[in-house]
Amino acid sequence: MWIESLEIYGFGKLVERTFRLQPGLNLIEGFNEAGKSTMKAFIQAVLFGFESRRNPHLRYEPLNGGKFGGAIQMIDQEGQSYRIERVYHHKISGDVRIYLPNGDIVGEEYLPILLHQINEKVYRQIFSFGLNEIQHLDSLQDQQINSFLYHAGTGVAKQILQMNQELTKKEQELFKMGGKNPIINSLFTEMDDISNRMNLLKRKHLQHKEILLKIEQLNRNIDEIDRKMDNIKQELKEYEKAAHYYRTYRDLKEIKWKLSKYSDEPIFPENGIERLEMIESKVNEIEVEKKQLEIKKMDLTKQVTTIQSQLLTEQVRRQIEYLRDHLPYYQQNKSRFFQLQNDLKHRNEEINESRKMLGHFYSEEAIRMFEYSIADKQTLQTIIHHLDLKEKDLLTLDLKFNELKQRYESNKLNLLEIDNLSKKDQRTKLMITSWLRYFIPLIGLISSFVFIYYKQWWTAGIFILLSFLTTKQYHHLFTHLNQLSDQQVVQVKNEISRLEKEIVELRQTKEKIKEEYRQQKDLLQKWLQQHRLRPDISPIIIFDTISFIQKTKELYKAQDLLNEEIQALQQEIQDFEARVISLHADGLTDPNRIEEKVYQWIQSYQQDQENRSKLDQLNLQINDVIGEMKRLEDRNHIEQEKISQLFNYARVTSKEEFYYRAKDYATYQQLRLQYKQYFFSIRNGCTTDEEYQQIIQKLEQFEENEMIHMIDQRKERQNQLQSQLKNLLEAKGELQNQLKEMEEDRSLSVLQHEYFVLQSRLHENVKNWATISIAKYLLQQTMKIYETEKQPEVIRKASEYFRLMTGNQYKRVFAPLDEATIKVLRMDGRIFEPQYLSRGTVEQLFIAMRFALIEEFTKKVELPLIFDDIFVNFDQQRLQHTLKAITELSKNHQVLIFTCHTYLVSKMKEMIGNIYTIRI
């Protein structure tokens, strides 16, 4: 189950508070004395009852009184809602109402069923604990908890422990060092006693029959003395009672004589005097209260008259109410008026600045009349776009025309140069050709003659052949060059003709574009004239100019709106001030004192309201006083009626007669009471009517002195008989002792037989004792092995939690089978008991034990878990490990963590993430 909400009617310092909770992890944060412990105690009190008044600091009654208690809304595993309400009415622990999911309402007897028999002690130790609980292992000592912890319910471990206990018990039943009751110890004692008695048998010889006869005679004498003493005791008792009641009987007879003087029994109301005095006291109190009420009524009437003279008229009140209600608007209007004047000034400055930017051509009227639609904008953009395109086309044509012209001039120059060069080269070529035609063969012939001279025929032949071939090749080369020069001239002339044709076409295209550009220019001029813009404005700044004009136009509109609002505010301010001036009798003229006067009138109005409220209260008080005076009259009449009834019952007509009759009635009643006391004193002292009649007879027959004398005689006789009886009993006792000794004495053979029997029993029991001791030793060795290898499920889970919280510094937790305690095993193999661990480690150990127990109890019932500042002694690393364990628990349980430490809150949110948090 988990808690959905807490509704606190009144509990300690928490009054009329409601807290909503969530499944899983909940963090309740608050400073010291904020109410965290109160909230925790509230949950426990609703579930298990309020503390008794012997512990008022733990009972948490509301500090300022009021309704004591509250309600918890809980959701079970199936999603069904239960409302548990506990309020103090009659029971010290509070009256409980439980609202079931089906609509039924049950009482406190259903709580154990809802909580699955979990008691308050277990709840505090396991499900709701703080720092104090986790610092002590003994806080986990409870029969219901021990059913999960140590050895109970652990199967084989339980059987081993029971076997060990049974062997120990049997061992001690047979023999115990220094004991008396064990069997072997008793056999030793009995054998010693028989041995002593065997030594004394021979020294005891008495006459058995003679002692029996003496005892029989003594018994007859004792019976006779007993009979005489019973008679004397009865007579002595009767005379002593008669002597005791003698004076009482004499007073009884005297009272009976006095009562006989009354002819009739007096009649008087019960407790009449007290009732009369009480009624008269009430009448006097009523008279005093009436006088006080009359004085109070006069004082209240005087206050009413004074207040009525100070009240304002309804007309003045209505005017003040209007001024009070409209004063904030007046102040806002004034503030708004000055703000608007400043805004208007800024608007004028902005308009002047814009007008200055636009120039004198644009008047205010022209700006206000300026209209610029989306269609106008589209038309203007189209015109300017076409102008831009035409300008770009003209620029492109100019560039292309210049390029063609440059190429045309360049080709003309190239053609002229070619003509000049061709003529000059022709002559050079002819001269070179002629020279090469003769020089190369000549060189070849000379070289051939040289090689021939040196008889190198092949070389000389090669040179002759090369000379011939070279001369022929140069001839072909120069012929080809001449042909190339002629082709180049033709190409240049063709290029010049083409360029001339392109230039003519460009000029025609340019003229056409210029005409189109002029047409777009005319359209732009016409558009500017239509919209009252400067005709000489550059297309580049047209849109900026239009933007400035539109902005200025908007400023003019804003200026008009400000002027209108200023006029409206000024009118409202003047109307309000006129009302204030009309209300002021001395004719207020200073406008700066308007608000001051309004506040004064409002104070007067508030004072008038207080006076009217006081007047209503005074009228109510006067009505209450009048009503109270009427009630006092009624009470006085009732009390007078009671006095008359008392007088009528006593049959008197005056107060003096009533007191006299009361005195007489009291005397009569006193005598009757004394008579009854004396009569019952004597009668109750007797057990039967016969005894009563005998005592009355003796009181009538004897005087007091005679009865005392008879009592002394019988006491003396009684003492004599007692002395005789004592002597007889002593003699009988001595004889009985002798007879008993003789009966106890047995023959020596019988005692020897008993002695041998005891020896045999001793041998058998010693053998059994040795067998049990060996078995116990072997079982203890088995227990040590079991402690190492097997542990209860709770201890195993506690080991897992403890290993997680300590970052694997400790290996496991285990519980010795023969000890109600726990121990821990560190990773280095050392074993520690809790008292030898650090505080932080001990707290983590006991938290781990509780977490394991929570899992075991969850098999029966799931309850919310409440942890109250349990992380104070944890370092950062172990805090992180512990929070991981709590996060795992919160997946299946609702967890409420109470803390006052802000650094822990920050650390928890950093480690866990988003936590549902309640701040108290």
Side-chain angles (χ1 to χ4, degrees):
M1 302 184 75
W2 62 278
I3 298 174
E4 183 181 25
S5 65
L6 304 175
E7 187 176 351
I8 304 176
Y9 307 149
F11 196 81
K13 64 170 62 178
L14 300 179
V15 178
E16 296 298 333
R17 296 288 299 275
T18 300
F19 300 96
R20 305 288 300 181
L21 300 173
Q22 297 290 335
L25 198 57
N26 294 259
L27 178 62
I28 292 85
E29 175 189 357
F31 296 110
N32 288 330
E33 299 186 358
K36 301 186 302 299
S37 299
T38 305
M39 185 189 296
K40 175 187 171 189
F42 170 77
I43 296 173
Q44 179 178 313
V46 171
L47 295 179
F48 300 101
F50 303 134
E51 284 284 345
S52 66
R53 287 200 172 96
R54 292 193 297 271
N55 301 313
H57 63 290
L58 299 177
R59 186 170 170 80
Y60 288 97
E61 292 190 6
L63 299 179
N64 299 320
K67 193 173 182 180
F68 178 26
I72 295 178
Q73 195 79 21
M74 300 188 75
I75 308 296
D76 66 6
Q77 291 85 347
E78 299 176 356
Q80 295 182 328
S81 178
Y82 296 82
R83 178 180 173 86
I84 306 171
E85 182 181 55
R86 188 183 291 271
V87 180
Y88 170 69
H89 288 302
H90 305 292
K91 294 175 65 177
I92 296 297
S93 62
D95 300 288
V96 177
R97 291 166 67 111
I98 302 176
Y99 299 84
L100 301 180
N102 60 4
D104 293 343
I105 301 176
V106 295
E108 190 169 7
E109 68 279 358
Y110 191 78
L111 262 179
I113 300 173
L114 189 61
L115 299 178
H116 293 266
Q117 308 303 324
I118 297 296
N119 59 36
E120 182 179 2
K121 187 173 182 181
V122 173
Y123 177 78
R124 285 186 177 184
Q125 294 170 351
I126 301 301
F127 297 96
S128 175
F129 56 88
L131 191 60
N132 291 334
E133 288 82 5
I134 65 173
Q135 290 178 345
H136 301 284
L137 180 62
D138 55 5
S139 65
L140 292 176
Q141 301 302 316
D142 184 84
Q143 184 176 0
Q144 195 171 6
I145 297 174
N146 283 335
S147 65
F148 295 105
L149 199 61
Y150 302 125
H151 324 298
T154 58
V156 178
K158 182 177 179 180
Q159 297 176 4
I160 294 174
L161 187 60
Q162 289 177 349
M163 290 174 60
N164 184 52
Q165 292 175 348
E166 290 176 1
L167 289 174
T168 302
K169 181 179 178 182
K170 289 180 179 180
E171 182 185 31
Q172 292 182 353
E173 286 176 354
L174 289 173
F175 178 74
K176 185 177 181 181
M177 186 65 67
K180 295 181 180 179
N181 297 323
I183 295 174
I184 295 175
N185 299 68
S186 300
L187 289 173
F188 279 125
T189 304
E190 193 173 352
M191 289 172 68
D192 291 341
D193 181 60
I194 290 175
S195 177
N196 294 330
R197 288 166 59 192
M198 288 171 61
N199 295 329
L200 293 174
L201 268 178
K202 296 177 181 180
R203 296 178 296 200
K204 291 184 178 181
H205 299 281
L206 297 173
Q207 297 294 327
H208 186 264
K209 186 175 180 180
E210 183 181 354
I211 292 173
L212 289 176
L213 292 174
K214 288 181 179 180
I215 290 174
E216 184 179 355
Q217 182 61 39
L218 289 174
N219 285 334
R220 287 195 294 271
N221 295 337
I222 289 171
D223 291 339
E224 180 66 21
I225 292 174
D226 285 338
R227 184 182 61 75
K228 291 180 180 179
M229 287 187 66
D230 289 339
N231 293 333
I232 291 173
K233 283 182 181 180
Q234 183 64 29
E235 292 177 0
L236 182 61
K237 181 179 179 182
E238 291 177 358
Y239 280 109
E240 285 179 344
K241 278 189 178 181
H244 175 72
Y245 292 120
Y246 179 80
R247 296 182 184 277
T248 302
Y249 184 72
R250 187 182 64 184
D251 294 338
L252 182 66
K253 291 178 68 177
E254 184 179 355
I255 290 170
K256 188 175 182 182
W257 175 77
K258 289 181 181 180
L259 288 173
S260 64
K261 291 183 179 182
Y262 289 90
S263 58
D264 297 324
E265 182 178 353
I267 300 174
F268 194 77
E270 187 177 358
N271 300 325
I273 297 298
E274 291 82 358
R275 291 164 63 187
L276 179 63
E277 290 176 350
M278 185 180 297
I279 293 170
E280 288 179 342
S281 174
K282 290 182 179 179
V283 170
N284 293 333
E285 290 176 359
I286 290 170
E287 292 297 328
V288 172
E289 289 182 13
K290 285 175 63 178
K291 291 180 181 180
Q292 292 176 350
L293 290 173
E294 289 175 355
I295 295 171
K296 184 176 181 181
K297 181 181 177 184
M298 292 175 62
D299 182 57
L300 292 173
T301 304
K302 184 177 179 181
Q303 293 182 35
V304 168
T305 304
T306 303
I307 291 174
Q308 285 178 341
S309 63
Q310 299 174 356
L311 295 178
L312 298 173
T313 63
E314 286 299 322
Q315 182 180 0
V316 173
R317 282 174 56 83
R318 286 194 295 272
Q319 291 181 354
I320 294 174
E321 288 173 355
Y322 177 85
L323 294 177
R324 179 197 63 192
D325 297 338
H326 288 77
L327 178 60
Y329 301 111
Y330 171 75
Q331 293 171 335
Q332 292 176 5
N333 288 339
K334 285 188 70 176
S335 175
R336 180 65 176 163
F337 178 78
F338 292 120
Q339 181 181 355
L340 291 176
Q341 284 185 331
N342 290 330
D343 292 346
L344 182 60
K345 182 179 177 182
H346 292 315
R347 292 291 178 275
N348 291 332
E349 291 176 355
E350 290 178 359
I351 290 171
N352 293 333
E353 187 67 25
S354 296
R355 290 284 304 278
K356 185 177 178 182
M357 293 290 293
L358 290 171
H360 298 290
F361 178 81
Y362 301 99
S363 63
E364 181 179 345
E365 181 181 359
I367 293 172
R368 289 179 178 274
M369 296 296 292
F370 180 76
E371 296 294 337
Y372 182 64
S373 65
I374 296 176
D376 293 333
K377 184 177 181 181
Q378 182 66 32
T379 302
L380 181 60
Q381 286 179 343
T382 303
I383 293 171
I384 293 175
H385 178 65
H386 287 163
L387 285 173
D388 289 339
L389 291 177
K390 298 307 175 186
E391 286 180 352
K392 290 179 180 178
D393 290 343
L394 287 173
L395 182 60
T396 303
L397 289 174
D398 287 338
L399 293 173
K400 192 172 182 181
F401 180 79
N402 292 331
E403 181 184 353
L404 290 175
K405 194 173 182 181
Q406 289 177 1
R407 288 168 61 190
Y408 176 78
E409 294 295 335
S410 175
N411 286 321
K412 291 283 283 182
L413 292 174
N414 290 336
L415 183 59
L416 183 60
E417 289 178 359
I418 289 170
D419 288 339
N420 294 329
L421 289 173
S422 62
K423 293 177 179 181
K424 185 178 179 181
D425 290 341
Q426 191 69 25
R427 293 191 298 267
T428 305
K429 289 177 181 178
L430 290 173
M431 184 178 64
I432 294 172
T433 303
S434 299
W435 186 77
L436 288 174
R437 183 180 299 173
Y438 298 107
F439 181 73
I440 292 175
L442 181 61
I443 293 174
L445 290 173
I446 294 171
S447 299
S448 300
F449 290 144
V450 172
F451 286 110
I452 291 172
Y453 178 76
Y454 289 101
K455 297 181 180 181
Q456 294 183 1
W457 311 109
W458 284 100
T459 305
I462 291 171
F463 265 93
I464 292 171
L465 182 60
L466 286 174
S467 298
F468 174 75
L469 291 174
T470 302
T471 301
K472 189 176 182 181
Q473 187 69 30
Y474 269 104
H475 175 72
H476 287 296
L477 177 62
F478 281 105
T479 302
H480 180 68
L481 288 174
N482 289 332
Q483 292 175 355
L484 287 176
S485 176
D486 294 337
Q487 291 175 359
Q488 187 176 7
V489 170
V490 173
Q491 289 177 354
V492 171
K493 286 181 180 181
N494 292 335
E495 180 68 19
I496 290 171
S497 298
R498 189 182 62 79
L499 290 174
E500 286 175 350
K501 187 178 179 180
E502 288 185 5
I503 288 171
V504 172
E505 290 176 355
L506 281 176
R507 282 175 180 170
Q508 293 174 354
T509 305
K510 184 176 182 182
E511 289 300 326
K512 183 180 177 182
I513 292 173
K514 282 183 178 181
E515 182 61 28
E516 291 175 356
Y517 179 76
R518 281 193 297 270
Q519 290 176 0
Q520 294 298 325
K521 263 292 195 182
D522 293 340
L523 288 174
L524 179 60
Q525 290 296 323
K526 185 179 179 181
W527 190 92
L528 293 174
Q529 289 175 1
Q530 288 176 353
H531 291 82
R532 299 181 182 181
L533 296 174
R534 290 181 63 174
D536 58 345
I537 189 170
S538 173
I540 298 174
I541 64 171
I542 286 177
F543 288 107
D544 293 337
T545 303
I546 291 172
S547 176
F548 263 98
I549 293 172
Q550 287 181 322
K551 179 181 177 183
T552 308
K553 183 179 179 181
E554 293 298 326
L555 291 174
Y556 276 123
K557 288 182 181 179
Q559 184 187 50
D560 295 340
L561 292 174
L562 288 173
N563 285 325
E564 291 175 2
E565 190 174 356
I566 287 171
Q567 290 176 3
L569 290 174
Q570 192 171 14
Q571 184 62 39
E572 291 180 6
I573 291 170
Q574 289 174 356
D575 292 342
F576 185 84
E577 291 178 349
R579 283 181 177 268
V580 177
I581 293 170
S582 65
L583 187 62
H584 208 274
D586 56 358
L588 179 66
T589 57
D590 187 1
N592 295 325
R593 298 183 60 199
I594 293 294
E595 295 183 23
E596 177 185 349
K597 289 300 180 182
V598 172
Y599 282 121
Q600 291 177 1
W601 279 114
I602 291 173
Q603 290 178 356
S604 301
Y605 180 85
Q606 293 174 348
Q607 183 63 41
D608 185 70
Q609 286 288 93
E610 293 177 1
N611 289 336
R612 288 178 183 273
S613 178
K614 288 181 182 178
L615 185 62
D616 294 339
Q617 293 177 0
L618 291 172
N619 288 328
L620 290 174
Q621 291 179 8
I622 290 173
N623 293 332
D624 292 340
V625 169
I626 293 172
E628 186 65 26
M629 291 176 68
K630 186 176 182 307
R631 286 193 290 273
L632 289 176
E633 288 292 342
D634 295 340
R635 286 174 55 196
N636 188 29
H637 179 72
I638 292 170
E639 298 302 328
Q640 293 295 339
E641 285 292 331
K642 291 180 180 179
I643 293 174
S644 298
Q645 291 174 2
L646 288 175
F647 285 178
N648 292 335
Y649 187 87
R651 299 174 184 176
V652 298
T653 57
S654 64
K655 183 178 178 180
E656 291 76 12
E657 292 180 3
F658 188 81
Y659 276 105
Y660 178 78
R661 182 61 60 87
K663 184 177 180 181
D664 186 53
Y665 179 78
T667 303
Y668 179 79
Q669 292 295 331
Q670 183 68 25
L671 290 173
R672 287 192 63 185
L673 180 63
Q674 290 178 354
Y675 181 83
K676 290 180 180 179
Q677 289 176 347
Y678 291 152
F679 173 78
F680 285 110
S681 175
I682 298 173
R683 180 65 186 83
N684 293 336
C686 303
T687 56
T688 63
D689 292 337
E690 183 181 357
E691 183 182 0
Y692 173 74
Q693 294 299 332
Q694 290 177 356
I695 290 175
I696 295 297
Q697 184 178 1
K698 286 182 172 57
L699 289 171
E700 292 287 346
Q701 184 178 359
F702 298 105
E703 293 294 332
E704 185 177 13
N705 293 332
E706 293 175 347
M707 287 188 288
I708 291 173
H709 178 68
M710 291 179 180
I711 289 170
D712 292 339
Q713 286 180 348
R714 281 159 178 75
K715 283 184 177 180
E716 183 178 357
R717 179 59 181 161
Q718 186 180 30
N719 292 332
Q720 292 174 356
L721 291 174
Q722 285 179 345
S723 178
Q724 293 176 9
L725 181 61
K726 181 180 179 182
N727 294 330
L728 291 174
L729 290 173
E730 288 177 354
K732 180 182 176 181
E734 290 178 357
L735 292 174
Q736 286 178 337
N737 288 334
Q738 293 176 7
L739 186 63
K740 183 178 180 181
E741 289 178 358
M742 291 179 65
E743 291 175 351
E744 288 179 353
D745 291 339
R746 283 177 280 180
S747 64
L748 184 61
S749 61
V750 173
L751 292 177
Q752 287 176 344
H753 175 73
E754 290 180 359
Y755 189 82
F756 290 130
V757 170
L758 290 175
Q759 274 186 334
S760 177
R761 287 176 58 194
L762 178 63
H763 176 75
E764 185 67 25
N765 284 304
V766 168
K767 183 179 179 181
N768 292 336
W769 176 82
T771 303
I772 291 171
S773 297
I774 294 171
K776 181 181 177 183
Y777 171 77
L778 296 175
L779 185 62
Q780 287 176 347
Q781 297 299 317
T782 304
M783 286 170 61
K784 290 182 180 179
I785 297 172
Y786 186 87
E787 289 172 3
T788 305
E789 297 178 355
K790 294 189 178 183
Q791 286 289 304
E793 182 66 17
V794 172
I795 301 299
R796 187 186 63 77
K797 291 181 180 178
S799 298
E800 295 176 1
Y801 279 116
F802 190 53
R803 187 163 56 249
L804 173 62
M805 292 181 187
T806 59
N808 291 322
Q809 292 186 11
Y810 288 85
K811 188 174 182 180
R812 67 185 180 94
V813 180
F814 66 94
L817 288 174
D818 56 346
E819 300 179 31
T821 185
I822 58 174
K823 297 180 180 180
V824 296
L825 177 64
R826 204 163 63 184
M827 282 299 178
D828 59 2
R830 295 187 63 185
I831 297 175
F832 295 92
E833 294 185 5
Q835 60 265 31
Y836 298 106
L837 300 173
S838 67
R839 176 182 293 182
T841 306
V842 169
E843 292 174 3
Q844 289 175 325
L845 171 61
F846 296 160
I847 289 174
M849 296 294 295
R850 283 173 168 85
F851 285 0
L853 285 168
I854 287 168
E855 289 198 19
E856 286 298 315
F857 274 98
T858 302
K859 297 176 182 177
K860 292 175 57 180
V861 60
E862 289 186 9
L863 291 178
L865 310 179
I866 301 175
F867 305 147
D868 188 3
D869 260 339
I870 62 174
F871 310 121
V872 175
N873 296 320
F874 290 7
D875 57 37
Q876 183 175 354
Q877 184 178 7
R878 293 196 176 183
L879 174 62
Q880 185 172 2
H881 295 323
T882 305
L883 289 177
K884 286 182 180 178
I886 291 177
T887 304
E888 288 297 320
L889 269 181
S890 67
K891 293 179 180 178
N892 299 319
H893 300 79
Q894 185 186 42
V895 180
L896 279 61
I897 300 177
F898 292 82
T899 184
C900 63
H901 301 284
T902 55
Y903 77 92
L904 280 177
V905 174
S906 301
K907 184 60 66 178
M908 288 169 64
K909 290 183 177 180
E910 176 185 346
M911 293 179 178
I912 299 176
N914 189 20
I915 307 176
Y916 182 74
T917 305
I918 297 176
R919 292 180 174 84
I920 302 180

